[in-house]
Amino acid sequence: MVSCGLLGAKLIHSYSPEIHAFLGDYPYELYEKSAEEVEDFVLHGPFTGINVTIPHKKTVVPFMTELSETARRTGSVNTIVRLPDGGLYGDNTDVYGFTEMVKASGIEVKGMKTLVLGSGGASVSVIDALKTMGAAPVITVSRSGGDNYGNLDRHSDAKIIVNATPVGMYPGNGPSPVDLSMFPACAGVFDLIYNPARTGLMLQAEKLGIPAMNGLYMLVAQAVRSSELFTGNKRDSSITDKIVRALDFRMKNIVLIGMPGSGKSLIAKKIKAFSGREMADTDAEIVKTTGRRPSEIIEADGEEAFRAIETEVLKNICKRSGLVIATGGGVVTRPENYDVMHQNSNIVLLDRPLDLLSSKGRPISKSKGVKALYEERWRLYEQFADIKAKNDGYRAGAVAGYVLKTLEGAGK
Ligand code: NAP
């Protein structure tokens, strides 16, 4: 019987069990082991096949009786299969995963000068794959190397940038390892990070019109290849796309924006009920954090002071994954809130007819008038939104169902 799992040091945030659940009905357990425990576990552990992650990919190599070509070249093993004679076969499916990621992106790397940021385990696999695909020259940028972050200007002609560092990864969302404006010829960015879906590096690439892809495809593709080795069964090539779409939808938040009174909290509750997603409400979070209601803060301290608090609350909520989030009506008035939401969310605009919007208990709607506010903000709502959902106010369940179906169907 096939029995699999993942060997590493800290595995609490791993997506591997979920990915392998898509791939087969074999058990997939998490095994957290220290470096001292690795040898005994690899030789005698209760598995027929196992994945290996940080920090043991090199540690396990000496215990293998057979290595694949890529494992030998990279000196790194992330997939082990127990052979019928009791021996252990080690492979490195990260190389395959990154190759598939590049193919899926449509970004050409052949003949392109490529910078790989970071010199850790993933970097070695990425460089091996890039060289096989014909990228040249491939330069490793390391904090302590000859090519480092202090002399990047010598590589301003780079065409492809790969982030193989943890900079920008959850919970450290936001920062980028390099400023892409230094590379005017850059034609493609790969970020191995998949949480958040769009790192600071990817958000900048998007603004500069540079095609960019996150590491989810690599993660899933290497798991598909591992599963083939575990079970001996070849998978249909479309399975990777399917799993990536399903995970991308599940991991991204659903953020509801729209005019005050457009039904954001009610629809969020319905989405929570239908999907089991955890719900967050920025106004409720502001009350929790400050002890004051938004209307009180606006009346006492002014709208600017309120907006600053709102952005901080939004930052904390939106860096999490898989939530449904109801926002305050004015989040779109601060341009910086776009990246905060867009980094890890699908943004849904609730479109409720003007005559159904009430200003009761809403100081800004009251002072400006609902119609004037609508005219002032509508363009912004449309600019922020990925999709729009009509809410006539009578069928909240249908609106919630429409949002979930549209986003899931599009793999968003
Ligand atoms: P690692 O072995 O710890 O190496 C990361 C490298 O990044 C380090 O060797 C270091 O290189 C550089 N680095 C670390 N902290 C940095 C900082 N604060 N600023 C700049 N550079 C820093 O980790 P890894 O296994 O290579 O993983 C790297 C990233 O890839 C992680 O985010 C991981 O989650 C991701 N990853 C994704 C997949 C996937 O399937 N999508 C697979 C593997 C890894 P220098 O000291 O040379 O600068």
Side-chain angles (χ1 to χ4, degrees):
M1 192 191 117
V2 177
S3 172
C4 305
L6 177 64
L7 165 66
K10 270 198 199 137
L11 302 174
I12 187 165
H13 296 300
S14 174
Y15 294 125
S16 293
E18 193 170 346
I19 297 173
H20 282 274
F22 277 104
L23 289 166
D25 57 4
Y26 47 82
Y28 194 92
E29 307 290 337
L30 298 177
Y31 298 101
E32 291 191 348
K33 302 284 173 196
S34 65
E36 296 70 42
E37 294 170 313
V38 166
E39 179 174 3
D40 183 54
F41 179 78
V42 167
L43 295 179
H44 310 293
F47 64 85
T48 56
I50 196 144
N51 289 122
V52 184
T53 188
I54 299 173
H56 301 320
K57 290 184 188 181
K58 285 189 192 309
T59 323
V60 298
V61 173
F63 313 124
M64 300 299 107
T65 48
E66 213 181 303
L67 286 173
S68 71
E69 258 314 300
T70 45
R72 196 183 307 282
R73 279 203 306 271
T74 55
S76 171
V77 161
N78 79 332
T79 303
I80 302 174
V81 177
R82 212 181 278 293
L83 299 168
D85 66 1
L88 293 167
Y89 173 75
D91 199 352
N92 178 342
T93 68
D94 281 340
V95 175
Y96 171 84
F98 184 71
T99 307
E100 290 301 296
M101 172 181 174
V102 173
K103 282 190 206 158
S105 74
I107 298 168
E108 181 59 78
V109 299
K110 192 168 180 198
M112 301 290 187
K113 177 168 181 172
T114 302
L115 299 188
V116 178
L117 312 177
S119 66
S123 166
V124 176
S125 299
V126 162
I127 290 169
D128 187 80
L130 283 166
K131 287 187 172 163
T132 305
M133 286 184 278
V138 178
I139 289 144
T140 307
V141 177
S142 165
R143 290 168 299 178
S144 56
D147 292 299
N148 56 58
Y149 298 90
N151 59 24
L152 278 177
D153 51 340
R154 59 160 91 156
H155 298 301
S156 60
D157 56 343
K159 297 219 168 64
I160 304 289
I161 313 272
V162 184
N163 179 29
T165 80
V167 178
M169 183 169 76
Y170 176 84
N173 301 37
S176 173
V178 292
D179 176 359
L180 288 174
S181 62
M182 289 180 74
F183 308 100
C186 184
V189 167
F190 297 98
D191 199 325
L192 300 203
I193 293 170
Y194 43 85
N195 182 13
R198 298 180 187 93
T199 57
L201 180 71
M202 291 187 60
L203 290 169
Q204 192 189 16
E206 205 173 276
K207 286 192 187 99
L208 295 172
I210 303 169
M213 191 168 186
N214 74 23
L216 186 60
Y217 206 95
M218 174 179 174
L219 180 76
V220 175
Q222 65 75 28
V224 171
R225 183 73 194 113
S226 292
S227 174
E228 289 178 343
L229 292 167
F230 293 156
T231 60
N233 299 328
K234 185 101 185 90
R235 302 307 307 236
D236 187 273
S237 59
S238 62
I239 188 83
T240 306
D241 287 331
K242 272 189 205 147
I243 299 174
V244 168
R245 276 205 300 278
L247 275 183
D248 184 59
F249 166 68
R250 198 192 61 70
M251 283 159 59
K252 276 195 191 138
N253 301 309
I254 299 174
V255 172
L256 302 179
I257 60 169
M259 283 286 288
S262 60
K264 298 179 292 289
S265 298
L266 177 64
I267 305 291
K269 280 181 194 148
K270 290 281 177 197
I271 291 178
K272 174 185 170 184
F274 290 170
S275 65
R277 281 175 184 253
E278 198 180 321
M279 176 182 158
D281 184 314
T282 55
D283 281 354
E285 204 54 38
I286 289 167
V287 175
K288 224 193 264 171
T289 319
T290 64
R292 294 193 296 167
R293 296 166 59 81
S295 54
E296 285 173 49
I297 303 172
I298 293 167
E299 273 156 17
D301 305 338
E303 187 178 346
E304 261 318 294
F306 170 73
R307 296 282 167 231
I309 296 169
E310 183 177 52
T311 295
E312 286 315 303
V313 165
L314 205 59
K315 276 184 187 164
N316 281 328
I317 294 176
C318 287
K319 72 179 181 182
R320 294 176 59 199
S321 291
L323 306 181
V324 54
I325 302 167
T327 60
V331 281
V332 293
T333 58
R334 276 198 151 198
E336 68 179 286
N337 289 347
Y338 179 69
D339 278 359
V340 172
M341 296 191 274
H342 182 57
Q343 65 171 327
N344 210 27
S345 308
N346 286 306
I347 305 175
V348 180
L349 168 57
L350 291 184
D351 178 8
R352 193 169 192 189
L354 190 54
D355 56 334
L356 293 177
L357 297 172
S358 149
S359 60
K360 201 171 155 221
R362 305 175 194 279
I364 299 173
S365 296
K366 235 184 220 163
S367 65
K368 290 194 175 169
V370 176
K371 186 164 184 290
L373 202 63
Y374 189 91
E375 280 160 6
E376 184 185 303
R377 285 187 186 165
W378 191 250
R379 189 180 45 82
L380 295 172
Y381 287 131
E382 288 197 310
Q383 280 170 2
F384 272 57
D386 293 307
I387 65 161
K388 221 191 270 186
K390 285 254 176 235
N391 178 20
D392 61 12
Y394 303 110
R395 297 168 298 127
V399 179
Y402 169 80
V403 169
L404 285 167
K405 210 166 142 214
T406 308
L407 293 176
E408 189 165 18
K412 286 197 165 216

